[in-house]
Amino acid sequence: MRKLGAACLAFVALVALAAPLLSPNDPGVTFRAFLYAPPMRPHIVGPDGAWRRPFVHPLRLVSRLEQTYEEDAGRAVPLEFLAGGKLARLSDENAGPWLPLGADRDGRDVLARLLFGARTSLGVALLATLAALLIGAVAGGLAGYRGGLVDDGIMRLAEFVLVLPAVYVVLALRAALPLVLPPWAVFALMAGIFSLVGWPWVARAVRTVVATERTKDYAAAAVSLGAGPGRVLFVHLLPACRGVVATQAILLLPGFILAEATLSYVGLGFPDSTVSWGVMLQEAANVSALSDAPWMLAPAAAIFLVVLGVNLVVQDRPPE
């Protein structure tokens, strides 16, 4: 199961990196004639039952008021592969856009927004995770190595942050800052807030390992050979924390993805002009997504896949 979880995470990372190639349309382009258009499924069997190269039937608007569509079974537009910098696209551009996962309320390609949104959501989560690991490792290392008042001060601060409800702390910190910010500022701000909430988990784990390792012979030998406190801590003791740091990283990452989705869902995250999984879920909340446009819930499925992959990796992780 651990390999399955790693495969899920690798798949999500790969499609995020390959978003420009995999996406048939630009995520910001609107197709006004295709509001809430359903997914356009590729076919390989023609009306006569014969096998054909992959093709799609263009959509035809049935009711503009109800935004209902049907496939034009009388037309078959072949797909062409690895053309125009895209993995697959319609061979006839006049047939309209190809929307493999349908369109949203503004007629934007849901698949394109899902792929490019992965870059934003995963980027925030990765940056926040790295920052939390750095702060937590240094703070926990100092607490475990120095002990005494330093240990008490750092651990009391970490425990104070840990006892606070993380979701409400994140919401309160973000709400206390300006609501209208450029996307890059929102990105940095969210990463900073998440790292401030996440570092105590890392610090507590690292502190336990360092406090144990500093009493062992190799640490005492390094001191006897003239190594200073900084060298002993960063060269000899912190490397022994690689296992717990890796575990904390794969636990924090899905939590930060969910936190980004929560902030964007309540309107405190990225603006609508910046695509992310949280922004897409906020848009899905404005429609009866489960009944009228279930394809709008694609980012929820992507978040579930990431969380499932992390849980499978952690569940079957061998003991240190």
Side-chain angles (χ1 to χ4, degrees):
M1 297 301 289
R2 188 184 178 197
K3 291 182 178 179
L4 177 60
C8 291
L9 298 178
F11 172 76
V12 174
L14 181 62
V15 297
L17 292 174
L21 174 65
L22 298 177
S23 172
N25 303 292
D26 187 277
V29 174
T30 60
F31 303 99
R32 295 299 181 183
F34 294 90
L35 308 183
Y36 292 125
M40 300 172 64
R41 297 177 294 109
H43 303 270
I44 56 175
V45 179
D48 56 356
W51 291 85
R52 301 174 55 180
R53 60 179 289 189
F55 67 93
V56 298
H57 294 301
L59 293 177
R60 180 169 54 199
L61 183 63
V62 176
S63 172
R64 184 172 299 275
L65 178 62
E66 298 179 355
Q67 293 296 330
T68 56
Y69 301 81
E70 66 178 14
E71 289 186 339
D72 187 355
R75 299 178 60 192
V77 182
L79 294 173
E80 58 180 3
F81 298 92
L82 298 177
K86 301 296 183 181
L87 178 64
R89 67 176 189 177
L90 296 184
S91 58
D92 183 6
E93 296 181 355
N94 296 324
W98 181 37
L99 305 169
L101 282 183
D104 63 8
R105 64 185 181 186
D106 296 318
R108 296 171 298 192
D109 187 351
V110 171
L111 176 61
R113 293 177 65 78
L114 180 69
L115 297 176
F116 281 91
R119 291 183 158 195
T120 304
S121 297
L122 294 178
V124 170
L126 285 173
L127 180 60
T129 299
L130 292 176
L133 293 179
L134 178 61
I135 298 172
V138 173
L142 288 174
Y145 182 71
R146 295 299 297 271
L149 293 177
V150 174
D151 184 15
D152 290 339
I154 294 177
M155 286 299 100
R156 296 300 82 75
L157 177 61
E159 290 170 1
F160 172 76
V161 177
L162 288 175
V163 299
L164 297 175
V167 173
Y168 296 109
V169 171
V170 170
L171 289 173
L173 289 176
R174 178 62 186 95
L177 298 169
L179 296 181
V180 180
L181 293 170
W184 66 266
V186 176
F187 188 97
L189 182 62
M190 292 175 69
I193 292 175
F194 297 162
S195 63
L196 290 178
V197 174
W199 74 266
W201 301 93
V202 183
R204 191 168 62 172
V206 169
R207 181 257 181 197
T208 301
V209 176
V210 170
T212 302
E213 293 293 319
R214 73 184 178 120
T215 61
K216 293 187 176 180
D217 293 339
Y218 75 90
V223 174
S224 64
L225 291 174
R231 181 177 179 83
V232 173
L233 176 60
F234 290 98
V235 176
H236 298 284
L237 297 180
L238 284 182
C241 305
R242 288 192 298 266
V244 295
V245 169
T247 300
Q248 292 299 320
I250 58 181
L251 289 173
L252 289 174
L253 181 63
F256 291 154
I257 293 175
L258 291 172
E260 183 278 323
T262 301
L263 282 181
S264 296
Y265 181 81
V266 299
L268 297 176
F270 290 100
D272 184 66
S273 59
T274 302
V275 59
S276 74
W277 288 347
V279 170
M280 294 181 68
L281 288 177
Q282 182 191 39
E283 296 169 353
N286 296 327
V287 299
S288 301
L290 287 177
S291 59
D292 298 336
W295 53 89
M296 295 282 289
L297 296 176
I303 294 174
F304 172 78
L305 183 63
V306 173
V307 175
L308 175 63
V310 170
N311 286 336
L312 291 177
V313 170
V314 175
Q315 180 180 1
D316 289 350
R317 185 178 180 85
E320 299 295 335

